[in-house]
Every structure is written in C-alpha cells, then in structure tokens.
Amino acid sequence: APKVSRNRSERLARQLALAHWIERAVEDGRVASYGEVARALGLTESRITQVTALLGLPPGLQESLLLGEGGVGIREAIRAARQVEWGGSHGN
C-alpha cells in the first residue's frame, strides 16, 4: 500500500519541518518556550518535545525525510533521534 507509506512519509516531513520552525522560533525569541508553542498549537509539551527530538537525526536523513524519501515512521524516527541524542557527545 504505497499510499499509506506516502502519507506516513508526508506526515513525518511535516513534523520535521514543524520541529525546525519551533527551534527557530524559540531561538529568535518569537516564543518563550516549548510550553508556549504547545499551548498555541493545542498540543502537549511532551508532544512538542517528541517532535523537536527529530532535530537530533543526522542532516542527510532529515533531508531524505523532508523530500519524502525516508520510508520511516514517526515512532522509528523519534527513537532513532533519541538514540543519537543520548548516545552522542553534543550538548545544548
């Protein structure tokens, strides 16, 4: 069922794009916190944290996901991003 997987890829691409927007909005001071974003979007703060975890994915994979070529679901992507985050030596 290619349509299902395409929809899933599109949803993941939208979530990744949202993650980048949230990160920029917080950095630019347009919003004060993830909590403020969550309230504005009607989502939970933990959901925003999950979405922004996608930013931990390697840039090449992010590009593939944004182009709809990832073939991976949101849960797998978040899991992969968290492994990169927790296993990596970079800190914020």
Side-chain angles (χ1 to χ4, degrees), residues 6-21 51 54 65-66 74:
R6 197 181 81 226
N7 287 344
R8 211 169 65 155
S9 294
E10 287 171 2
R11 181 167 176 254
L12 186 53
R14 283 195 304 272
Q15 302 228 347
L16 181 55
L18 175 63
H20 280 282
W21 183 89
V51 169
L54 296 172
L65 293 173
L66 288 170
I74 183 78

Side-chain angles (χ1 to χ4, degrees), residues 24-91:
R24 273 197 306 277
V26 171
E27 284 174 5
D28 296 349
R30 285 180 281 160
V31 294
S33 65
Y34 286 176
E36 187 179 324
V37 173
R39 285 188 295 280
L41 297 177
L43 299 170
T44 64
E45 195 166 343
S46 64
R47 185 66 185 139
I48 297 298
T49 301
Q50 277 185 331
V51 169
T52 55
L54 296 172
L55 298 172
L57 292 170
L61 180 53
Q62 287 190 34
E63 184 179 358
S64 293
L65 293 173
L66 288 170
L67 294 173
E69 300 166 354
V72 67
I74 183 78
R75 285 191 179 90
E76 298 95 312
I78 288 171
R79 202 172 301 122
R82 285 188 174 151
Q83 285 169 354
V84 169
E85 247 174 39
W86 296 340
S89 57
H90 70 281

